[in-house]
Amino acid sequence: MDDLTLRTEADAVLAELVGAREGAARLREDQWQAVAALVEEHRRALVVQRTGWGKSAVYFVATALLRRRGAGPTVIVSPLLALMRNQVDAAERAGIRARTINSANPEEWDTIHEEVERGETDVLLVSPERLNSVDFRENMLPKLAATAGLLVVDEAHCISDWGHDFRPDYRRLRTMLAELPADVPVLATTATANARVTADVAEQLGTGGADALVLRGPLDRESLRLGVLKLPDAAHRLAWLGERLGDLPGSGIIYTLTVAAAEEVAAYLRQRGYPVASYTGKTENADRLQAEEDLLANRVKALVATSALGMGFDKPDLGFVVHLGSPSSPISYYQQVGRAGRGVEHADVLLLPGREDEAIWAYFASVGFPPEEQVRRTLSVLEQAGRPLSLPALEPLVELRRSRLETMLKVLDVDGAVKRVKGGWIATGQPWVYDAERYARVAHQREAEQQAMRDYVATTDCRMEFLQRQLDDEKATPCGRCDTCAGPWLDPAVAPDALAAARGELERPGVEVEPRRMWPTGMAAIGVDLKGRIPAGQQAATSRALGRLSDIGWGNRLRPLLSPQSPDGPVPDDVLSAVVTVLADWARSPSGWASGTADATPRPVGVVAMPSRTHPHLVTSLAEGVARIGRLPLLGTLTLTDDHPTPRSNSAQRLRTLATSLTVPPDLASALAATPGPVLLVDDYTDSGWTLAVAARLLRQAGAEGVLPLVLGVGG
């Protein structure tokens, strides 16, 4: 078949895909070049093109053409459920039968496997996490590798640990690539890869040789108008958004850096009368789907989202993207703003940086690949076990949180040092080298990216050109549209009443924190006889905190106060006053001691302070202030008998230390016996909740009839 005939056939498929009449749609030359390389030459290609370029059109058109020529199904590795839903809908328009395997549809997996084996599926979309599933890897993956007609790796920057969204599950693709027949074409696509990431992805995918086709286009987005608005504080930013959201074109996305901020901002905007919804990693799948559909149908003005709504969400007429807080990477920022303006001539992109941004960057930077001694410890535990260890069984034996432990194991799995089998993880015994130099280079690169975001905020040059250069776009030139090229179009003024309303919302104190109800699994393995459900008579009540450290209201006030590096001192007057407000609201709540209801908690009879290694004066003065204002006796302080600090690695390690070091001293035990009733337990901060759980158990065993924890800050 000559090129002209194939091109005509490809354009006809494109017309079906986009819902146009035959002859009314035509692949651009660079899209056609990619399709021809896959269908005619069966090559491996890496496509780095801006968001909205039409990467999905390439692999759907190629799929249709390959299937007509007898090829097996296309396997697309996609990172997000939103991307999968959009792509399945697009495929159906072109008569392409697409199915997806991901964490949201396990009940359909067997049926889908059977459909693939019968040749009834043209496209199988797979989440990268499936590549690390033992059953999928051992049973399904070899069959797909043997029968696939095309392998597509979408958002391929996730392969690279230099990339802004590295995912170790993606590295499993090496196995599939190694098992693919030589004539099976491979397409890797991304919009957010600089030269370093492009080279790394090409190497990881095996596309670094002479046969590789790399298609890299200009990354300017002609529809986007970029701007930065520097406002004094979180209240001004929230007030400005509350006043101006209705002026932004169409519907859009408001990005925040944390879950707490997303929920906080969404609640405020709803109070201001805007139809908005929050969208985070904690949002239930059904609620996510509804939120996406509402935004696609313009039933909401905006989704207030974390990065959970990122790659792949496709709304061509999205009119704006606003960031309340700077992402830590200009590449990540470019990827997120790329949601806007894909099918409209003009869209607004606004960045409202905050002073809390860098503290949030620092937190995420602290959970990278663990130090060598922690990795070696994990390998040693697996080697000595002599049997597979599940994550819950392994976690108590190492000093890593489960999510970080799982990520590390996936990297070690790809490196060959461990293997995931039925029942858990085992050590392979193969030599493994800790690539300290590489990890240090990655950390240095992250620091450089953070500095680049600071520079982006401060630059007086073209903002689009700045982002293009961060992505090594050789064709970067001034855009003529942004606030530095064409001048600011945003009025930073905020009406006094709007500012007062925003400040009142942010300064409203009080967060409920559910208590721990189950002990961690595997405690017997480290010598602690605690398991199963915590008896009701040993549990703490639902706690109250002044605020979350991750929110943009009280979080900004509490972070510097509670930092381990901050000087110790008495509780500030404004903080104590806010705590008293929290207590008053607690007392008047439906189950509070002042509510007058039948199930009300009895009024506390006294105050107990937690010991603190970093802020003893702060905690003591807080407990004294609460006791004085509440006219309650200060019964005493629990004691830490061990000089070793409580580890902040994982639940099991924290609990082991607390179980042997936290005690009720005799004078406090006597005071509890002489003052029957519930007590207020005062502390500065809670994160995992285990300190409060152990303290509540001890106090109730010593005679307290209830424990009501009250803290300044809560993590998360």
Side-chain angles (χ1 to χ4, degrees):
M1 181 180 292
D2 59 40
D3 282 354
L4 180 59
T5 303
L6 183 63
R7 177 66 184 267
T8 300
E9 186 181 358
D11 288 340
V13 174
L14 177 66
E16 295 174 354
L17 190 67
V18 300
R21 59 182 174 80
E22 188 172 351
R26 183 174 175 82
L27 289 166
R28 295 193 308 271
E29 285 305 311
D30 45 8
Q31 290 175 312
W32 163 242
Q33 186 180 358
V35 169
L38 298 171
V39 177
E40 287 191 314
E41 304 174 45
H42 290 222
R43 294 182 68 177
R44 294 188 174 186
L46 173 59
V47 172
V48 182
Q49 298 283 358
R50 66 183 183 274
T51 302
W53 174 85
K55 295 181 284 292
S56 61
V58 169
Y59 50 72
F60 281 135
V61 170
T63 293
L65 299 179
L66 287 166
R67 291 289 280 168
R68 292 174 185 179
R69 287 154 180 76
T74 291
V75 178
I76 303 177
V77 181
S78 288
L80 292 181
L81 299 182
L83 177 62
M84 291 186 179
R85 287 190 282 268
N86 290 159
Q87 290 182 332
V88 168
D89 291 342
E92 290 177 350
R93 289 197 296 268
I96 297 171
R97 297 162 297 182
R99 299 302 302 269
T100 174
I101 293 178
N102 59 68
S103 59
N105 68 341
E107 70 284 351
E108 300 178 15
W109 292 355
D110 289 342
T111 300
I112 293 171
H113 289 174
E114 293 171 2
E115 291 174 356
V116 171
E117 291 184 356
R118 291 195 301 264
E120 298 173 359
T121 297
D122 299 314
V123 172
L124 180 65
L125 294 108
V126 180
S127 63
E129 290 75 21
R130 290 302 95 214
L131 301 176
N132 209 42
S133 162
V134 175
D135 286 339
F136 185 86
R137 196 173 69 202
E138 294 183 353
N139 299 321
M140 192 66 180
L141 195 59
K143 296 176 183 177
L144 290 176
T147 61
L150 170 65
L151 174 64
V152 177
V153 183
D154 213 351
E155 309 296 350
H157 59 270
C158 295
I159 293 171
S160 175
D161 56 8
W162 297 104
H164 69 87
D165 195 24
F166 168 61
R167 301 187 181 197
D169 288 309
Y170 258 66
R171 299 184 70 181
R172 272 283 150 215
L173 289 165
R174 283 182 175 178
T175 302
M176 189 169 184
L177 283 163
E179 296 175 356
L180 281 177
D183 63 342
V184 174
V186 177
L187 173 66
T189 69
T190 180
T192 49
N194 58 19
R196 182 192 294 272
V197 173
T198 298
D200 193 28
V201 170
E203 178 184 356
Q204 301 258 3
L205 293 175
T207 61
D211 190 46
L213 173 66
V214 177
L215 294 172
R216 185 179 177 92
L219 299 178
D220 181 24
R221 294 288 310 283
E222 294 88 349
S223 63
L224 300 185
R225 176 170 61 167
L226 305 180
V228 173
L229 192 62
K230 302 173 190 175
L231 296 171
D233 54 32
H236 278 81
R237 285 183 287 147
L238 197 59
W240 186 91
L241 189 60
E243 283 195 302
R244 306 301 170 85
L245 180 57
D247 298 333
L248 297 177
S251 55
I253 301 172
I254 301 167
Y255 279 109
T256 65
L257 300 186
T258 67
V259 172
E263 294 173 347
E264 193 174 23
V265 172
Y268 173 76
L269 292 175
R270 282 193 293 268
Q271 290 175 11
R272 302 290 291 181
Y274 293 107
V276 301
S278 60
Y279 188 111
T280 74
K282 292 185 177 180
T283 305
E284 293 292 336
N285 183 62
D287 293 333
R288 284 197 193 195
L289 180 57
Q290 184 62 56
E292 291 169 19
E293 292 176 349
D294 287 344
L295 183 59
L296 289 169
N298 296 316
R299 289 189 292 265
V300 294
K301 179 64 177 178
L303 295 187
V304 186
T306 63
S307 58
L309 182 67
M311 294 178 294
F313 181 77
D314 186 11
K315 177 177 169 60
D317 62 341
L318 196 78
F320 64 88
V321 169
V322 175
H323 279 76
L324 286 181
S326 296
S328 61
S329 161
I331 302 174
S332 176
Y333 183 65
Y334 177 88
Q335 186 270 324
Q336 290 178 353
V337 303
R339 300 300 101 215
R342 301 176 72 167
V344 293
E345 291 186 4
H346 303 290
D348 283 346
V349 171
L350 311 175
L351 173 61
L352 281 64
R355 62 188 178 94
E356 71 274 9
D357 297 350
E358 300 215 11
I360 296 170
W361 297 351
Y363 168 76
F364 287 115
S366 71
V367 294
F369 197 75
E372 182 173 6
E373 59 270 20
Q374 290 182 314
V375 183
R376 297 290 180 193
R377 167 65 180 165
T378 304
L379 290 173
S380 176
V381 168
L382 289 173
E383 289 168 356
Q384 294 172 14
R387 59 182 177 84
L389 291 180
S390 65
L391 281 173
L394 181 58
E395 185 182 15
L397 306 175
V398 298
E399 294 188 1
L400 289 167
R401 291 191 178 188
R402 187 171 301 183
S403 58
R404 196 177 182 199
L405 173 61
E406 183 176 22
T407 299
M408 182 192 76
L409 288 170
K410 289 176 180 178
V411 173
L412 294 177
D413 191 359
V414 174
D415 291 345
V418 304
K419 184 178 181 181
R420 190 174 184 177
V421 299
K422 289 186 177 180
W425 297 85
I426 60 172
T428 63
Q430 294 184 19
W432 179 79
V433 176
Y434 187 88
D435 195 347
E437 183 179 351
R438 181 177 180 84
Y439 300 138
R441 289 201 308 269
V442 171
H444 179 73
Q445 178 69 16
R446 296 289 183 267
E447 293 172 0
E449 290 173 351
Q450 292 177 8
Q451 183 56 50
M453 280 309 298
R454 299 184 191 99
D455 295 341
Y456 175 80
V457 169
T459 188
T460 57
D461 297 327
C462 174
R463 297 197 192 277
M464 179 58 76
E465 182 183 15
F466 183 99
L467 294 178
Q468 288 178 259
R469 293 196 183 284
Q470 287 295 313
L471 284 152
D472 297 321
D473 183 356
E474 296 178 356
K475 298 181 180 180
T477 56
C479 71
R481 304 178 302 274
C482 69
D483 61 350
T484 54
C485 287
W489 75 94
L490 305 169
D491 183 356
V494 175
D497 59 337
L499 180 59
R503 183 156 286 138
E505 179 67 21
L506 293 178
E507 292 179 355
R508 181 178 295 115
V511 175
E512 290 190 3
V513 185
E514 288 297 316
R516 288 286 187 173
R517 304 190 191 279
M518 298 284 293
W519 297 118
T521 57
M523 295 305 300
I526 52 176
V528 179
D529 186 23
L530 293 172
K531 63 180 180 179
R533 179 171 293 278
I534 302 174
Q538 296 180 10
Q539 288 184 21
T542 299
S543 309
R544 295 298 191 279
L546 181 53
R548 295 187 182 277
L549 269 63
S550 56
D551 67 30
I552 58 175
W554 274 102
N556 283 342
R557 178 72 175 90
L558 293 172
R559 275 191 300 272
L561 181 67
L562 301 181
S563 168
Q565 290 75 40
S566 64
D568 188 22
V571 61
D573 290 343
D574 64 321
V575 173
L576 179 59
S577 177
V579 169
V580 172
T581 300
V582 172
L583 272 173
D585 290 342
W586 193 357
R588 292 190 297 266
S589 68
S591 60
W593 50 92
S595 65
T597 60
D599 59 348
T601 301
R603 187 177 189 274
V605 297
V607 177
V608 175
M610 284 291 299
S612 172
R613 291 190 173 94
T614 56
H615 300 104
H617 192 182
L618 175 68
V619 176
T620 299
S621 65
L622 175 62
E624 290 172 346
V626 168
R628 182 181 69 256
I629 296 171
R631 298 180 180 180
L632 297 170
L634 181 59
L635 302 178
T637 303
L638 290 160
T639 302
L640 277 170
T641 59
D642 194 330
D643 291 335
H644 299 291
T646 302
R648 294 190 176 275
S649 54
N650 62 41
S651 293
Q653 294 292 332
R654 292 188 188 197
L655 184 56
R656 179 175 67 171
T657 300
L658 289 165
T660 58
S661 64
L662 194 63
T663 61
V664 178
D667 58 337
L668 176 55
S670 299
L672 291 170
T675 316
V679 297
L680 282 172
L681 176 62
V682 175
D683 202 358
D684 57 349
Y685 172 73
T686 184
D687 183 11
S688 69
W690 290 118
T691 301
L692 297 179
V694 172
R697 176 174 180 264
L698 292 172
L699 290 170
R700 299 200 69 173
Q701 288 176 330
E705 296 177 5
V707 176
L708 312 176
L710 175 68
V711 300
L712 295 179
V714 58

